[in-house]
């Protein structure tokens, strides 16, 4: 189950369209990557969408959406904006992260050092697995 399919999320035609596009798999380039970030493994407060124009290319453009309260995955307005953003770039494929993959703050921009001072949950954790690293 992808984050956009979690129980209790707002059912909306824009969310359904994003899910449907992601389920189709690789259908060509450009590809949109959608990643979710949050203070823990249960609440996504930020999503970032990157556009990869072709195979072996770097991300061409990135746009992020942030919510102060709640979960970005349940915001139908943001889902609509994401869909418009990917349609604007004529995206043919979508890849969505399976879960929350780290702190919503950016190292070197929002904080200095190894760990975010705001998101203690992520201190010493693997951002993809959410498990403590030794």
């Amino acid at each position: 189950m992808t984050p956009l399919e979690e129980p209790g999320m707002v059912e909306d035609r824009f969310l359904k369209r994003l899910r449907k596009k992601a389920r189709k798999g690789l259908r060509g380039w450009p590809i949109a990557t959608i990643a979710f970030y949050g203070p823990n493994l249960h609440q996504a407060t930020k999503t970032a969408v990157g556009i990869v124009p072709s195979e072996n290319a770097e991300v061409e453009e990135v746009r992020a959406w942030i919510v102060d309260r709640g979960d970005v995955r349940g915001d139908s307005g943001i889902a609509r904006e994401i869909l418009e953003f990917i349609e604007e770039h004529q995206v043919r494929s979508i890849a969505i992260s399976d879960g929350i993959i780290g702190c919503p703050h950016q190292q070197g921009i929002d904080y200095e050092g190894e760990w975010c001072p705001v998101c203690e949950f992520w201190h010493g954790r693997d951002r993809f697995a959410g498990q403590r690293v030794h």
Side-chain angles (χ1 to χ4, degrees), residues 39 103 115-125 132:
C103 165
W115 305 107
C116 174
V118 177
C119 299
E120 289 186 30
F121 173 83
W122 293 103
H123 292 205
R125 290 187 187 266
R132 290 229 173 257

Side-chain angles (χ1 to χ4, degrees), residues 38-60:
N40 55 52
L41 292 176
H42 306 290
Q43 180 188 19
T45 57
K46 177 180 177 180
T47 186
V49 179
I51 305 297
V52 182
S54 61
E55 190 172 6
N56 300 320
E58 296 292 321
V59 174
E60 183 177 86

